[in-house]
Amino acid sequence: MSEELYVLHKDVRVKVDAKKTNDWFYSDTVKEHFFSPRNFLRDKHEIDDFDGYGDVGSAACGDRMSMWIKIDKKNDKIIDCKWQTFGCGSAISSTSMLSVMIIENGGMKIDDALKIKPQDIVKRLEELPARKYHCSVLGDKALRAAINDYFRKTKQYNRIVEEGAKVIDTALKITDKDIEEAVLEGATTFEELQKKTKIGVKDKSCIPEAKQLLKFYMEKYFGKEDGKNG
Amino acid sequence: MSKMNDIYLDYAATTYIDPVVKKSMERYFTKDFGNPGSFNSYGLIAKKTVDDARERIAGILNADANEIVFTGSGTESINLAIKGVARVLREKGKHIITQKTEHHAVLETCRYLEKEEGFEATYLDVDKYGMIDLNELESSIRKDTVLISIMYANNEIGTIQLIKEIANIAKKHGVILHTDACQAAGFLDIDVKNIGVDLMTLNGSKIYAPKGIGLLYVKKGTPIKAIMHGGGQEFGLRPGTENVPSIVGFARALELVQKNKDKESKRLGKLRNMLIRGIMEKIPKTILNGHPTMRLPNNVNVSILNIEGEALLLHLNEEGICISTGSACTSNSLEPSHVILAIGLPYEAAHGSIRFTLGKKTNKKDIERVLEVMPGFVDSLRMISPVHLEVNEILNEAK
């Protein structure tokens, strides 16, 4: 499938040397996808024969993404992907890049698509500022929601993976989702996590598990080698 | 990187330095570089220079020279005013009144005093235009109220408060009044006798003077003490060697903006109205934030529904048009503008708020250019947006 290129901005410089320019807020790849987003849904009629739909986030929170996927059922592959995004530059670029990753090279196996992590999108975008990572997370969540929708419609209930929240701190009812959110908002140490969430202040027994989850989400979003916060 | 034909519409963030101002400062960097505190001929020249600038500024404010305290910024002046007065009067009372749409310098200083020094602050609500209710102000004054801090004109939405009426209320109840007049200085009356304030903050970076210079007007007899300690400069209220070149530039800049304020207000007011009208006509589903008439002549703040402010900012920026946004995406806290939320707009509309602030170099062509390119960018972003709210849905949700 040929890559769709729709230029929203007439002066966009599609080919720029990343090393030579630093006159923009994001990497040149982010810039390119922002000004020429790929695969976005222009017309509702385009989705008549799509197989899965996911919608996550909200305008009130500052980001909302919708995603439609088309499945090659025989090969269990996503062969087309359309999206719409309300959000900042990095949110738009992340969704655009994610759509490219899914449908390039003739489409992606559903099982592989489910393995896409936010940091894979960030890597392809050649970096996002740390405080913008949550934008790429939303793209990943929209894709999962669309895939689950497909599973539901095709009665493959055993394949649905719902992300439920698990209570970690029983005294203050703080969940793994709260820890994830805190990491995305910039907590890099247990002290920072505690400052944001008050986790372990009353229920000290949860501290080891909380520390483990902190490490898990740090690695999930920011990579192993990198404990720093940009 | 700034380019020659950039259209800079972020004057409320900061201005360039007027060439006349820059020129007035030059000799104090290399030639007359003395320390006003030095007992030698270099020091004497520096001292006379600072005294002269202070007197000229006092003249503009209709104040005495010893009521003008130079500081390092607007934020510093605000800290000095609020902490300096509160700490002197802490035995008398520990209550401060301010409003929700103040600059963070005021809000965070009040919160600090609440958290660390046992004060209590009332943050007055504002109406949908950003105006406080004078009756509410008066009824919130208590026996232990020691300070009121209300800004003259708002930095985000440009709303101008009824500062004289506020001063009358403060006077009637014997409460000290501070006003942050940083955004007002270029356009409004800053005669302190006329407006009736006890303390007033001004800074250089909004009026074509350098960054890193501010002042606090302190009416004679106002109880206040220093918040930093050192060499006793600035009547003991602000230690540290005086920033002589910036003080000179500040005085020159204040003279220039105040001399031209009526003419410039009229000129920019026309361009502001042209921009507001143009946006409302050409871009459907748009809300004007702030007061329709009681607003700074250089301020336009609108919420463009169904898109996010930073995304529009990036498009305009690519076109050389530099603005700012109240969207969460450009703030450090990932929270949208507290001012837009305080005027009652829901988060959805706060994320799509953008601000244009006009200034000396802004002309009709610039506004025409904005109106020429902006509708297309909004269309592009709306085309890829899954959000489709209508203005009446937003206004129904608004408080």
Side-chain angles (χ1 to χ4, degrees), chain B residues 361-377:
Chain B
K361 283 190 181 161
T362 311
N363 58 40
K364 201 173 159 203
K365 270 207 171 103
D366 297 339
I367 305 300
E368 284 168 351
R369 181 79 186 131
V370 172
L371 292 173
E372 185 190 331
V373 299
M374 190 171 142
F377 296 146

Side-chain angles (χ1 to χ4, degrees), chain A residues 6-185:
Chain A
Y6 188 82
V7 179
L8 290 180
H9 197 286
K10 62 180 173 51
D11 291 332
V12 65
R13 287 173 292 160
V14 175
K15 287 208 186 304
V16 270
D17 183 350
K19 297 212 168 47
K20 278 186 190 154
T21 56
N22 59 347
D23 64 337
W24 215 59
F25 313 92
Y26 304 119
S27 76
D28 287 321
T29 311
V30 177
K31 181 176 185 172
E32 194 205 310
H33 277 262
F34 174 70
F35 286 122
S36 329
R38 323 293 207 268
N39 309 315
F40 68 88
L41 183 83
R42 243 175 292 170
D43 183 348
K44 286 273 180 199
H45 297 298
E46 287 179 84
I47 52 170
D48 288 348
D49 58 341
F50 272 61
D51 304 299
Y53 164 68
D55 181 63
V56 295
S58 78
C61 299
D63 292 291
R64 182 173 152 192
M65 289 172 196
S66 302
M67 195 165 267
W68 294 263
I69 51 171
K70 195 172 174 178
I71 310 287
D72 167 358
K73 292 178 180 105
K74 209 174 97 198
N75 295 307
D76 207 42
K77 247 183 184 181
I78 305 173
I79 49 164
D80 202 359
C81 169
K82 297 278 179 199
W83 56 270
Q84 286 189 332
T85 290
F86 167 98
C88 63
S90 47
I92 290 169
S93 299
S94 301
T95 338
S96 172
M97 179 54 93
L98 176 60
S99 71
V100 168
M101 289 163 71
I102 294 165
I103 63 173
E104 67 192 352
N105 306 321
M108 191 182 264
K109 287 266 189 202
I110 291 179
D111 287 336
D112 291 333
L114 284 169
K115 283 184 207 142
I116 293 178
K117 283 180 295 181
Q119 73 191 81
D120 300 327
I121 305 171
V122 172
K123 206 174 275 172
R124 284 287 297 266
L125 285 172
E126 292 165 357
E127 244 348 280
L128 276 182
R131 45 186 292 281
K132 295 281 192 178
Y133 270 46
H134 70 273
C135 302
S136 60
V137 176
L138 218 52
D140 162 81
K141 282 185 176 161
L143 173 63
R144 270 156 216 271
I147 293 174
N148 279 342
D149 181 49
Y150 164 69
F151 288 158
R152 223 170 279 123
K153 281 179 178 157
T154 50
K155 301 197 165 50
Q156 303 183 63
Y157 300 113
N158 59 324
R159 295 182 74 188
I160 295 174
V161 189
E162 291 287 4
E163 292 183 66
K166 182 187 163 205
V167 175
I168 308 298
D169 181 318
T170 50
L172 298 174
K173 303 271 180 292
I174 296 162
T175 67
D176 53 352
K177 295 277 148 227
D178 297 321
I179 297 175
E180 184 178 8
E181 279 299 311
V183 168
L184 287 169
E185 282 167 14

Side-chain angles (χ1 to χ4, degrees), chain B residues 250-269:
Chain B
F250 193 13
R252 191 77 192 97
L254 201 57
E255 283 170 348
L256 288 174
V257 294
Q258 278 286 309
K259 194 181 95 191
N260 297 322
K261 71 172 191 299
D262 292 338
K263 218 171 117 198
E264 184 67 352
S265 293
K266 210 171 156 194
R267 186 183 80 86
L268 290 181

Side-chain angles (χ1 to χ4, degrees), chain B residues 115-282:
Chain B
K115 198 163 163 261
E116 303 288 336
E117 301 185 17
F119 282 82
E120 198 189 319
T122 298
Y123 303 89
L124 295 173
D125 285 323
V126 294
D127 66 15
K128 63 178 176 176
Y129 299 129
M131 301 287 280
I132 58 164
D133 179 335
L134 297 179
N135 293 324
E136 202 185 323
L137 168 69
E138 185 156 17
S139 63
S140 68
I141 296 175
R142 316 189 310 208
K143 266 201 174 122
D144 61 342
T145 305
V146 290
L147 179 69
I148 297 170
S149 188
I150 300 288
M151 75 202 314
Y152 199 160
N154 187 272
N155 53 313
E156 290 191 33
I157 54 175
T159 298
I160 301 166
Q161 297 291 348
L162 299 168
I163 196 72
K164 282 189 204 176
E165 281 81 346
I166 292 166
N168 286 337
I169 292 169
K171 219 168 283 166
K172 185 173 144 197
H173 293 270
V175 181
I176 291 166
L177 173 65
H178 165 252
T179 192
D180 166 5
C182 291
Q183 299 290 343
F187 307 105
L188 305 177
D189 176 19
I190 50 167
D191 177 326
V192 291
K193 303 252 164 32
N194 200 12
I195 58 177
V197 294
D198 302 294
L199 299 144
M200 181 167 75
T201 288
L202 295 177
N203 68 353
S205 65
K206 318 291 189 203
I207 58 165
Y208 309 90
K211 296 160 186 62
I213 184 74
L215 72 78
L216 182 65
Y217 157 75
V218 184
K219 190 168 126 192
K220 220 167 284 158
T222 304
I224 187 168
K225 64 180 182 183
I227 57 170
M228 296 198 295
H229 303 92
Q233 290 93 340
E234 298 299 308
F235 318 107
L237 281 175
R238 204 278 185 173
T241 299
E242 297 86 342
N243 185 347
V244 181
S246 288
I247 287 171
V248 171
F250 193 13
R252 191 77 192 97
L254 201 57
E255 283 170 348
L256 288 174
V257 294
Q258 278 286 309
K259 194 181 95 191
N260 297 322
K261 71 172 191 299
D262 292 338
K263 218 171 117 198
E264 184 67 352
S265 293
K266 210 171 156 194
R267 186 183 80 86
L268 290 181
K270 272 187 197 158
L271 295 176
R272 174 200 67 186
N273 294 344
M274 178 183 162
L275 182 55
I276 293 175
R277 218 176 297 126
I279 290 173
M280 303 309 269
E281 275 171 21
K282 292 183 169 205

